Amino acid sequence: MDVATLGAVGTIVVGLAAALGAVVGKRGENRASQSGAVLGGYSTLVDNLQEERDKVREDRDQLRAQLAEKDSALAAAYAELAGERAGTAALQRQIADLTNERDELRRRLDELEGRPA
């Protein structure tokens, strides 16, 4: 083989190697691009999940505050009911005492008027 043939063969081999390198490089670029898209999608998913978790925490805290308010209102209602019951019991005792006194007064009146008991 002469020098010109060797040069031509060398040029062809170098061209094929360059083409092969370009194909491999393009595949790597595609993989990197896909990997970047996956990582970007993963990042977005993580951000969405964190936002959702924060919203759930806010909702939970708000519900706990409402529950505390309702517990307080319920305790106040029970206290008021207990006070009313105590007042009712006192009124019932007063009614019973007044009824007994009235009955005693009628009995005494009947004795004074000479009516049998």
Side-chain angles (χ1 to χ4, degrees), residues 31-98:
R31 285 185 187 150
S33 167
Q34 289 173 351
S35 176
V38 168
L39 289 177
Y42 177 75
S43 176
T44 301
L45 177 63
V46 169
D47 290 343
N48 290 342
L49 288 173
Q50 287 175 342
E51 287 176 15
E52 184 67 25
R53 183 187 64 205
D54 292 343
K55 185 178 181 327
V56 167
R57 283 183 181 163
E58 289 173 7
D59 291 347
R60 183 188 63 210
D61 292 343
Q62 185 179 18
L63 288 175
R64 283 184 177 164
Q66 289 176 353
L67 180 61
E69 289 175 16
K70 297 302 178 190
D71 284 342
S72 178
L74 183 61
Y78 274 123
E80 183 178 345
L81 179 60
E84 288 176 3
R85 284 184 181 164
T88 301
L91 285 174
Q92 287 175 341
R93 279 191 304 274
Q94 185 179 6
I95 289 170
D97 291 344
L98 289 172

Short mmCIF file of all heavy atoms in Angstrom, two decimals, residues 31-98:
data_model
loop_
_atom_site.label_atom_id
_atom_site.label_comp_id
_atom_site.label_asym_id
_atom_site.label_seq_id
_atom_site.Cartn_x
_atom_site.Cartn_y
_atom_site.Cartn_z
N ARG A 31 -29.90 10.52 27.21
CA ARG A 31 -30.05 9.98 28.56
C ARG A 31 -29.97 11.08 29.61
O ARG A 31 -30.74 11.09 30.57
CB ARG A 31 -28.98 8.93 28.83
CG ARG A 31 -29.23 7.62 28.15
CD ARG A 31 -28.22 6.58 28.53
NE ARG A 31 -28.42 5.39 27.73
CZ ARG A 31 -27.47 4.56 27.38
NH1 ARG A 31 -26.22 4.79 27.76
NH2 ARG A 31 -27.75 3.50 26.66
N ALA A 32 -29.03 11.97 29.43
CA ALA A 32 -28.90 13.09 30.38
C ALA A 32 -30.14 13.96 30.35
O ALA A 32 -30.63 14.42 31.38
CB ALA A 32 -27.66 13.91 30.06
N SER A 33 -30.66 14.18 29.14
CA SER A 33 -31.88 14.98 29.01
C SER A 33 -33.05 14.30 29.70
O SER A 33 -33.81 14.93 30.43
CB SER A 33 -32.18 15.19 27.52
OG SER A 33 -33.48 15.69 27.35
N GLN A 34 -33.19 12.98 29.46
CA GLN A 34 -34.26 12.24 30.11
C GLN A 34 -34.06 12.20 31.62
O GLN A 34 -35.01 12.34 32.40
CB GLN A 34 -34.33 10.81 29.55
CG GLN A 34 -34.85 10.76 28.14
CD GLN A 34 -34.76 9.36 27.55
OE1 GLN A 34 -34.16 8.47 28.16
NE2 GLN A 34 -35.34 9.18 26.38
N SER A 35 -32.84 12.04 32.04
CA SER A 35 -32.53 12.03 33.47
C SER A 35 -32.86 13.38 34.09
O SER A 35 -33.42 13.46 35.18
CB SER A 35 -31.06 11.69 33.70
OG SER A 35 -30.73 11.77 35.06
N GLY A 36 -32.54 14.45 33.38
CA GLY A 36 -32.88 15.79 33.87
C GLY A 36 -34.38 15.97 33.97
O GLY A 36 -34.89 16.56 34.92
N ALA A 37 -35.12 15.45 33.00
CA ALA A 37 -36.58 15.55 33.03
C ALA A 37 -37.13 14.76 34.20
O ALA A 37 -38.05 15.19 34.90
CB ALA A 37 -37.17 15.05 31.71
N VAL A 38 -36.56 13.58 34.44
CA VAL A 38 -37.01 12.76 35.57
C VAL A 38 -36.70 13.47 36.87
O VAL A 38 -37.55 13.54 37.77
CB VAL A 38 -36.35 11.36 35.52
CG1 VAL A 38 -36.57 10.62 36.82
CG2 VAL A 38 -36.89 10.56 34.35
N LEU A 39 -35.50 14.01 36.99
CA LEU A 39 -35.14 14.72 38.22
C LEU A 39 -36.00 15.97 38.40
O LEU A 39 -36.42 16.28 39.51
CB LEU A 39 -33.65 15.09 38.21
CG LEU A 39 -32.69 13.91 38.37
CD1 LEU A 39 -31.25 14.40 38.27
CD2 LEU A 39 -32.91 13.19 39.68
N GLY A 40 -36.29 16.67 37.31
CA GLY A 40 -37.16 17.84 37.40
C GLY A 40 -38.56 17.44 37.82
O GLY A 40 -39.19 18.10 38.66
N GLY A 41 -39.07 16.34 37.27
CA GLY A 41 -40.38 15.84 37.66
C GLY A 41 -40.40 15.40 39.11
O GLY A 41 -41.36 15.63 39.84
N TYR A 42 -39.33 14.76 39.53
CA TYR A 42 -39.20 14.33 40.93
C TYR A 42 -39.19 15.53 41.86
O TYR A 42 -39.86 15.55 42.88
CB TYR A 42 -37.93 13.50 41.10
CG TYR A 42 -37.68 13.07 42.51
CD1 TYR A 42 -38.42 12.04 43.08
CD2 TYR A 42 -36.71 13.69 43.29
CE1 TYR A 42 -38.20 11.65 44.38
CE2 TYR A 42 -36.49 13.30 44.59
CZ TYR A 42 -37.23 12.28 45.14
OH TYR A 42 -37.01 11.89 46.43
N SER A 43 -38.45 16.57 41.46
CA SER A 43 -38.38 17.78 42.27
C SER A 43 -39.75 18.42 42.40
O SER A 43 -40.16 18.85 43.48
CB SER A 43 -37.38 18.76 41.66
OG SER A 43 -37.37 19.97 42.37
N THR A 44 -40.48 18.48 41.30
CA THR A 44 -41.83 19.05 41.32
C THR A 44 -42.74 18.22 42.22
O THR A 44 -43.52 18.75 42.99
CB THR A 44 -42.41 19.10 39.89
OG1 THR A 44 -41.55 19.89 39.08
CG2 THR A 44 -43.81 19.68 39.88
N LEU A 45 -42.63 16.90 42.12
CA LEU A 45 -43.43 16.01 42.95
C LEU A 45 -43.13 16.23 44.43
O LEU A 45 -44.05 16.33 45.25
CB LEU A 45 -43.18 14.55 42.56
CG LEU A 45 -43.91 13.50 43.39
CD1 LEU A 45 -45.41 13.64 43.22
CD2 LEU A 45 -43.46 12.10 42.99
N VAL A 46 -41.85 16.34 44.75
CA VAL A 46 -41.47 16.57 46.15
C VAL A 46 -42.02 17.91 46.63
O VAL A 46 -42.55 18.01 47.74
CB VAL A 46 -39.93 16.51 46.31
CG1 VAL A 46 -39.50 17.02 47.68
CG2 VAL A 46 -39.44 15.09 46.09
N ASP A 47 -41.92 18.94 45.80
CA ASP A 47 -42.47 20.25 46.17
C ASP A 47 -43.97 20.18 46.41
O ASP A 47 -44.49 20.74 47.38
CB ASP A 47 -42.16 21.29 45.08
CG ASP A 47 -40.69 21.66 45.00
OD1 ASP A 47 -39.95 21.36 45.97
OD2 ASP A 47 -40.27 22.24 43.98
N ASN A 48 -44.67 19.48 45.52
CA ASN A 48 -46.13 19.33 45.68
C ASN A 48 -46.47 18.58 46.96
O ASN A 48 -47.41 18.94 47.67
CB ASN A 48 -46.74 18.63 44.47
CG ASN A 48 -46.72 19.49 43.22
OD1 ASN A 48 -46.56 20.70 43.30
ND2 ASN A 48 -46.87 18.86 42.07
N LEU A 49 -45.72 17.53 47.24
CA LEU A 49 -45.96 16.76 48.46
C LEU A 49 -45.70 17.60 49.71
O LEU A 49 -46.45 17.52 50.69
CB LEU A 49 -45.11 15.49 48.48
CG LEU A 49 -45.54 14.40 47.51
CD1 LEU A 49 -44.52 13.27 47.51
CD2 LEU A 49 -46.91 13.88 47.85
N GLN A 50 -44.65 18.41 49.67
CA GLN A 50 -44.36 19.27 50.82
C GLN A 50 -45.45 20.32 51.01
O GLN A 50 -45.86 20.60 52.14
CB GLN A 50 -43.00 19.94 50.65
CG GLN A 50 -41.85 18.99 50.84
CD GLN A 50 -40.49 19.62 50.56
OE1 GLN A 50 -40.40 20.66 49.91
NE2 GLN A 50 -39.44 18.99 51.05
N GLU A 51 -45.95 20.87 49.91
CA GLU A 51 -47.04 21.85 50.02
C GLU A 51 -48.30 21.18 50.59
O GLU A 51 -48.98 21.75 51.43
CB GLU A 51 -47.36 22.45 48.65
CG GLU A 51 -46.31 23.43 48.16
CD GLU A 51 -46.60 23.94 46.75
OE1 GLU A 51 -47.75 23.76 46.27
OE2 GLU A 51 -45.70 24.52 46.13
N GLU A 52 -48.59 19.98 50.13
CA GLU A 52 -49.75 19.25 50.62
C GLU A 52 -49.60 18.93 52.11
O GLU A 52 -50.54 19.06 52.89
CB GLU A 52 -49.94 17.95 49.81
CG GLU A 52 -51.17 17.17 50.18
CD GLU A 52 -52.47 17.88 49.82
OE1 GLU A 52 -52.47 18.72 48.91
OE2 GLU A 52 -53.48 17.59 50.48
N ARG A 53 -48.40 18.53 52.50
CA ARG A 53 -48.14 18.23 53.91
C ARG A 53 -48.32 19.49 54.76
O ARG A 53 -48.93 19.44 55.83
CB ARG A 53 -46.72 17.68 54.08
CG ARG A 53 -46.40 17.29 55.52
CD ARG A 53 -44.96 16.90 55.70
NE ARG A 53 -44.13 18.06 55.42
CZ ARG A 53 -42.88 18.01 55.01
NH1 ARG A 53 -42.29 16.85 54.80
NH2 ARG A 53 -42.19 19.11 54.78
N ASP A 54 -47.83 20.62 54.27
CA ASP A 54 -48.00 21.88 55.01
C ASP A 54 -49.48 22.25 55.12
O ASP A 54 -49.93 22.70 56.17
CB ASP A 54 -47.22 23.01 54.32
CG ASP A 54 -45.71 22.82 54.42
OD1 ASP A 54 -45.26 22.02 55.27
OD2 ASP A 54 -44.99 23.45 53.63
N LYS A 55 -50.23 22.03 54.05
CA LYS A 55 -51.67 22.33 54.08
C LYS A 55 -52.38 21.42 55.08
O LYS A 55 -53.23 21.87 55.84
CB LYS A 55 -52.27 22.17 52.68
CG LYS A 55 -53.73 22.56 52.62
CD LYS A 55 -54.26 22.43 51.21
CE LYS A 55 -55.70 22.84 51.06
NZ LYS A 55 -56.57 22.62 52.14
N VAL A 56 -52.01 20.16 55.09
CA VAL A 56 -52.61 19.21 56.04
C VAL A 56 -52.29 19.64 57.47
O VAL A 56 -53.15 19.60 58.36
CB VAL A 56 -52.13 17.78 55.76
CG1 VAL A 56 -52.47 16.83 56.90
CG2 VAL A 56 -52.73 17.27 54.46
N ARG A 57 -51.07 20.07 57.70
CA ARG A 57 -50.69 20.54 59.05
C ARG A 57 -51.50 21.76 59.45
O ARG A 57 -51.96 21.86 60.58
CB ARG A 57 -49.20 20.87 59.09
CG ARG A 57 -48.32 19.66 59.16
CD ARG A 57 -46.87 20.04 59.26
NE ARG A 57 -46.03 18.86 59.31
CZ ARG A 57 -44.74 18.85 59.09
NH1 ARG A 57 -44.12 19.98 58.81
NH2 ARG A 57 -44.06 17.73 59.17
N GLU A 58 -51.68 22.69 58.51
CA GLU A 58 -52.48 23.89 58.81
C GLU A 58 -53.92 23.52 59.11
O GLU A 58 -54.51 24.03 60.07
CB GLU A 58 -52.43 24.87 57.62
CG GLU A 58 -51.10 25.55 57.43
CD GLU A 58 -51.04 26.39 56.16
OE1 GLU A 58 -52.09 26.54 55.49
OE2 GLU A 58 -49.96 26.88 55.83
N ASP A 59 -54.47 22.62 58.30
CA ASP A 59 -55.85 22.17 58.54
C ASP A 59 -55.97 21.48 59.89
O ASP A 59 -56.93 21.69 60.62
CB ASP A 59 -56.31 21.22 57.42
CG ASP A 59 -56.50 21.93 56.09
OD1 ASP A 59 -56.53 23.18 56.08
OD2 ASP A 59 -56.61 21.23 55.06
N ARG A 60 -54.99 20.64 60.22
CA ARG A 60 -54.99 19.93 61.49
C ARG A 60 -54.91 20.91 62.65
O ARG A 60 -55.67 20.78 63.63
CB ARG A 60 -53.81 18.95 61.54
CG ARG A 60 -53.78 18.11 62.81
CD ARG A 60 -52.51 17.31 62.92
NE ARG A 60 -51.39 18.22 63.01
CZ ARG A 60 -50.17 17.96 62.56
NH1 ARG A 60 -49.90 16.82 61.99
NH2 ARG A 60 -49.21 18.86 62.68
N ASP A 61 -54.05 21.90 62.54
CA ASP A 61 -53.93 22.89 63.60
C ASP A 61 -55.22 23.69 63.76
O ASP A 61 -55.66 23.98 64.88
CB ASP A 61 -52.76 23.84 63.33
CG ASP A 61 -51.40 23.14 63.43
OD1 ASP A 61 -51.35 22.03 64.01
OD2 ASP A 61 -50.41 23.69 62.93
N GLN A 62 -55.86 24.02 62.63
CA GLN A 62 -57.11 24.77 62.68
C GLN A 62 -58.21 23.92 63.33
O GLN A 62 -58.97 24.42 64.16
CB GLN A 62 -57.52 25.17 61.27
CG GLN A 62 -58.75 26.05 61.22
CD GLN A 62 -59.11 26.46 59.80
OE1 GLN A 62 -58.67 25.84 58.83
NE2 GLN A 62 -59.92 27.49 59.68
N LEU A 63 -58.26 22.64 62.99
CA LEU A 63 -59.26 21.76 63.59
C LEU A 63 -59.02 21.58 65.08
O LEU A 63 -59.96 21.53 65.87
CB LEU A 63 -59.27 20.41 62.88
CG LEU A 63 -59.87 20.41 61.48
CD1 LEU A 63 -59.70 19.03 60.82
CD2 LEU A 63 -61.32 20.82 61.49
N ARG A 64 -57.75 21.49 65.47
CA ARG A 64 -57.44 21.38 66.90
C ARG A 64 -57.88 22.63 67.66
O ARG A 64 -58.40 22.55 68.77
CB ARG A 64 -55.95 21.15 67.10
CG ARG A 64 -55.54 19.73 66.81
CD ARG A 64 -54.09 19.49 67.10
NE ARG A 64 -53.75 18.09 66.87
CZ ARG A 64 -52.53 17.64 66.75
NH1 ARG A 64 -51.51 18.46 66.86
NH2 ARG A 64 -52.32 16.37 66.54
N ALA A 65 -57.70 23.80 67.06
CA ALA A 65 -58.14 25.05 67.69
C ALA A 65 -59.65 25.08 67.81
O ALA A 65 -60.19 25.47 68.86
CB ALA A 65 -57.64 26.25 66.88
N GLN A 66 -60.36 24.65 66.77
CA GLN A 66 -61.82 24.61 66.83
C GLN A 66 -62.28 23.61 67.88
O GLN A 66 -63.25 23.87 68.61
CB GLN A 66 -62.39 24.23 65.46
CG GLN A 66 -62.26 25.32 64.42
CD GLN A 66 -62.75 24.86 63.05
OE1 GLN A 66 -63.07 23.70 62.83
NE2 GLN A 66 -62.79 25.80 62.11
N LEU A 67 -61.59 22.48 67.98
CA LEU A 67 -61.95 21.48 68.97
C LEU A 67 -61.75 22.04 70.38
O LEU A 67 -62.60 21.83 71.26
CB LEU A 67 -61.09 20.22 68.78
CG LEU A 67 -61.34 19.08 69.75
CD1 LEU A 67 -62.77 18.58 69.65
CD2 LEU A 67 -60.35 17.95 69.49
N ALA A 68 -60.68 22.78 70.61
CA ALA A 68 -60.44 23.38 71.92
C ALA A 68 -61.54 24.39 72.25
O ALA A 68 -62.01 24.45 73.40
CB ALA A 68 -59.07 24.06 71.94
N GLU A 69 -61.97 25.17 71.26
CA GLU A 69 -63.06 26.13 71.48
C GLU A 69 -64.35 25.41 71.85
O GLU A 69 -65.06 25.83 72.77
CB GLU A 69 -63.29 26.97 70.23
CG GLU A 69 -62.21 27.97 69.93
CD GLU A 69 -62.43 28.69 68.60
OE1 GLU A 69 -63.56 28.64 68.06
OE2 GLU A 69 -61.48 29.30 68.10
N LYS A 70 -64.65 24.32 71.14
CA LYS A 70 -65.87 23.56 71.42
C LYS A 70 -65.80 22.91 72.80
O LYS A 70 -66.81 22.88 73.52
CB LYS A 70 -66.11 22.49 70.35
CG LYS A 70 -66.33 23.04 68.96
CD LYS A 70 -67.51 24.00 68.90
CE LYS A 70 -67.65 24.56 67.50
NZ LYS A 70 -68.58 25.65 67.41
N ASP A 71 -64.63 22.40 73.17
CA ASP A 71 -64.47 21.82 74.51
C ASP A 71 -64.72 22.86 75.58
O ASP A 71 -65.39 22.59 76.59
CB ASP A 71 -63.06 21.23 74.68
CG ASP A 71 -62.89 19.90 73.96
OD1 ASP A 71 -63.92 19.27 73.62
OD2 ASP A 71 -61.73 19.50 73.75
N SER A 72 -64.21 24.07 75.37
CA SER A 72 -64.40 25.15 76.33
C SER A 72 -65.88 25.54 76.43
O SER A 72 -66.42 25.72 77.53
CB SER A 72 -63.56 26.36 75.90
OG SER A 72 -63.77 27.44 76.77
N ALA A 73 -66.55 25.66 75.27
CA ALA A 73 -67.97 26.00 75.27
C ALA A 73 -68.80 24.91 75.93
O ALA A 73 -69.75 25.19 76.67
CB ALA A 73 -68.45 26.23 73.83
N LEU A 74 -68.43 23.65 75.71
CA LEU A 74 -69.15 22.54 76.32
C LEU A 74 -68.97 22.55 77.84
O LEU A 74 -69.94 22.34 78.58
CB LEU A 74 -68.65 21.21 75.74
CG LEU A 74 -69.33 19.95 76.22
CD1 LEU A 74 -70.82 19.98 75.87
CD2 LEU A 74 -68.68 18.73 75.60
N ALA A 75 -67.76 22.83 78.30
CA ALA A 75 -67.52 22.90 79.74
C ALA A 75 -68.34 24.04 80.36
O ALA A 75 -68.91 23.88 81.45
CB ALA A 75 -66.03 23.11 80.00
N ALA A 76 -68.41 25.17 79.67
CA ALA A 76 -69.21 26.29 80.17
C ALA A 76 -70.69 25.92 80.22
O ALA A 76 -71.39 26.27 81.18
CB ALA A 76 -69.00 27.52 79.29
N ALA A 77 -71.17 25.21 79.22
CA ALA A 77 -72.58 24.80 79.19
C ALA A 77 -72.88 23.84 80.34
O ALA A 77 -73.92 23.94 81.00
CB ALA A 77 -72.92 24.15 77.85
N TYR A 78 -71.96 22.91 80.60
CA TYR A 78 -72.14 21.99 81.73
C TYR A 78 -72.16 22.74 83.06
O TYR A 78 -72.95 22.43 83.95
CB TYR A 78 -71.05 20.92 81.75
CG TYR A 78 -71.35 19.72 80.89
CD1 TYR A 78 -70.47 19.32 79.89
CD2 TYR A 78 -72.49 18.96 81.09
CE1 TYR A 78 -70.74 18.22 79.10
CE2 TYR A 78 -72.77 17.86 80.31
CZ TYR A 78 -71.89 17.48 79.32
OH TYR A 78 -72.15 16.38 78.55
N ALA A 79 -71.28 23.73 83.18
CA ALA A 79 -71.24 24.53 84.41
C ALA A 79 -72.55 25.29 84.59
O ALA A 79 -73.10 25.36 85.70
CB ALA A 79 -70.06 25.49 84.38
N GLU A 80 -73.06 25.87 83.51
CA GLU A 80 -74.33 26.60 83.58
C GLU A 80 -75.47 25.65 83.95
O GLU A 80 -76.32 25.98 84.77
CB GLU A 80 -74.62 27.28 82.24
CG GLU A 80 -75.87 28.12 82.25
CD GLU A 80 -76.11 28.82 80.91
OE1 GLU A 80 -75.18 28.89 80.08
OE2 GLU A 80 -77.24 29.28 80.70
N LEU A 81 -75.48 24.48 83.36
CA LEU A 81 -76.51 23.49 83.66
C LEU A 81 -76.45 23.07 85.12
O LEU A 81 -77.48 22.95 85.78
CB LEU A 81 -76.37 22.27 82.74
CG LEU A 81 -77.37 21.14 82.94
CD1 LEU A 81 -78.79 21.65 82.70
CD2 LEU A 81 -77.04 19.98 82.03
N ALA A 82 -75.25 22.87 85.63
CA ALA A 82 -75.10 22.49 87.03
C ALA A 82 -75.63 23.60 87.93
O ALA A 82 -76.30 23.34 88.94
CB ALA A 82 -73.63 22.20 87.35
N GLY A 83 -75.34 24.86 87.57
CA GLY A 83 -75.86 25.99 88.34
C GLY A 83 -77.38 26.04 88.30
O GLY A 83 -78.03 26.30 89.31
N GLU A 84 -77.93 25.81 87.11
CA GLU A 84 -79.40 25.80 87.00
C GLU A 84 -80.01 24.66 87.80
O GLU A 84 -81.05 24.83 88.44
CB GLU A 84 -79.81 25.71 85.52
CG GLU A 84 -79.54 26.97 84.75
CD GLU A 84 -79.87 26.84 83.27
OE1 GLU A 84 -80.35 25.76 82.85
OE2 GLU A 84 -79.64 27.81 82.53
N ARG A 85 -79.35 23.51 87.79
CA ARG A 85 -79.86 22.38 88.57
C ARG A 85 -79.80 22.69 90.06
O ARG A 85 -80.73 22.34 90.80
CB ARG A 85 -79.04 21.12 88.27
CG ARG A 85 -79.39 20.51 86.94
CD ARG A 85 -78.65 19.23 86.71
NE ARG A 85 -78.99 18.67 85.40
CZ ARG A 85 -78.30 17.74 84.80
NH1 ARG A 85 -77.22 17.25 85.37
NH2 ARG A 85 -78.68 17.28 83.64
N ALA A 86 -78.72 23.34 90.49
CA ALA A 86 -78.62 23.71 91.90
C ALA A 86 -79.73 24.71 92.25
O ALA A 86 -80.35 24.62 93.31
CB ALA A 86 -77.24 24.30 92.20
N GLY A 87 -79.97 25.66 91.34
CA GLY A 87 -81.04 26.64 91.56
C GLY A 87 -82.40 25.95 91.58
O GLY A 87 -83.27 26.27 92.39
N THR A 88 -82.59 24.98 90.71
CA THR A 88 -83.85 24.23 90.67
C THR A 88 -84.03 23.43 91.96
O THR A 88 -85.14 23.40 92.52
CB THR A 88 -83.85 23.27 89.45
OG1 THR A 88 -83.70 24.04 88.26
CG2 THR A 88 -85.13 22.48 89.37
N ALA A 89 -82.97 22.82 92.43
CA ALA A 89 -83.05 22.06 93.68
C ALA A 89 -83.41 22.98 94.84
O ALA A 89 -84.23 22.64 95.70
CB ALA A 89 -81.74 21.33 93.94
N ALA A 90 -82.81 24.17 94.85
CA ALA A 90 -83.12 25.13 95.93
C ALA A 90 -84.57 25.57 95.85
O ALA A 90 -85.25 25.68 96.88
CB ALA A 90 -82.18 26.34 95.83
N LEU A 91 -85.07 25.81 94.64
CA LEU A 91 -86.47 26.19 94.47
C LEU A 91 -87.41 25.06 94.90
O LEU A 91 -88.44 25.29 95.54
CB LEU A 91 -86.76 26.57 93.02
CG LEU A 91 -86.25 27.94 92.57
CD1 LEU A 91 -86.47 28.11 91.07
CD2 LEU A 91 -86.92 29.05 93.34
N GLN A 92 -87.03 23.83 94.58
CA GLN A 92 -87.86 22.69 95.00
C GLN A 92 -87.90 22.56 96.52
O GLN A 92 -88.96 22.27 97.09
CB GLN A 92 -87.35 21.40 94.36
CG GLN A 92 -87.66 21.32 92.87
CD GLN A 92 -87.04 20.10 92.21
OE1 GLN A 92 -86.12 19.48 92.74
NE2 GLN A 92 -87.56 19.76 91.04
N ARG A 93 -86.75 22.81 97.18
CA ARG A 93 -86.73 22.79 98.65
C ARG A 93 -87.61 23.90 99.21
O ARG A 93 -88.37 23.70 100.17
CB ARG A 93 -85.30 22.94 99.17
CG ARG A 93 -84.50 21.66 99.15
CD ARG A 93 -83.19 21.79 99.91
NE ARG A 93 -82.34 22.89 99.44
CZ ARG A 93 -81.47 22.79 98.43
NH1 ARG A 93 -81.34 21.66 97.77
NH2 ARG A 93 -80.75 23.82 98.08
N GLN A 94 -87.53 25.09 98.60
CA GLN A 94 -88.34 26.22 99.06
C GLN A 94 -89.83 25.91 98.86
O GLN A 94 -90.65 26.19 99.75
CB GLN A 94 -87.94 27.48 98.31
CG GLN A 94 -88.65 28.73 98.80
CD GLN A 94 -88.21 29.97 98.03
OE1 GLN A 94 -87.45 29.89 97.06
NE2 GLN A 94 -88.69 31.12 98.45
N ILE A 95 -90.19 25.32 97.74
CA ILE A 95 -91.59 24.96 97.49
C ILE A 95 -92.06 23.93 98.52
O ILE A 95 -93.16 24.03 99.07
CB ILE A 95 -91.75 24.42 96.05
CG1 ILE A 95 -91.60 25.57 95.04
CG2 ILE A 95 -93.09 23.70 95.87
CD1 ILE A 95 -91.50 25.12 93.59
N ALA A 96 -91.21 22.96 98.79
CA ALA A 96 -91.58 21.93 99.78
C ALA A 96 -91.76 22.56 101.16
O ALA A 96 -92.73 22.25 101.87
CB ALA A 96 -90.52 20.84 99.81
N ASP A 97 -90.85 23.47 101.55
CA ASP A 97 -90.96 24.13 102.86
C ASP A 97 -92.24 24.97 102.93
O ASP A 97 -92.97 24.93 103.93
CB ASP A 97 -89.73 25.03 103.12
CG ASP A 97 -88.46 24.22 103.35
OD1 ASP A 97 -88.56 23.00 103.61
OD2 ASP A 97 -87.36 24.82 103.23
N LEU A 98 -92.51 25.74 101.87
CA LEU A 98 -93.71 26.57 101.84
C LEU A 98 -94.98 25.71 101.87
O LEU A 98 -95.97 26.05 102.55
CB LEU A 98 -93.71 27.48 100.63
CG LEU A 98 -92.69 28.63 100.65
CD1 LEU A 98 -92.65 29.33 99.30
CD2 LEU A 98 -92.99 29.61 101.77
#
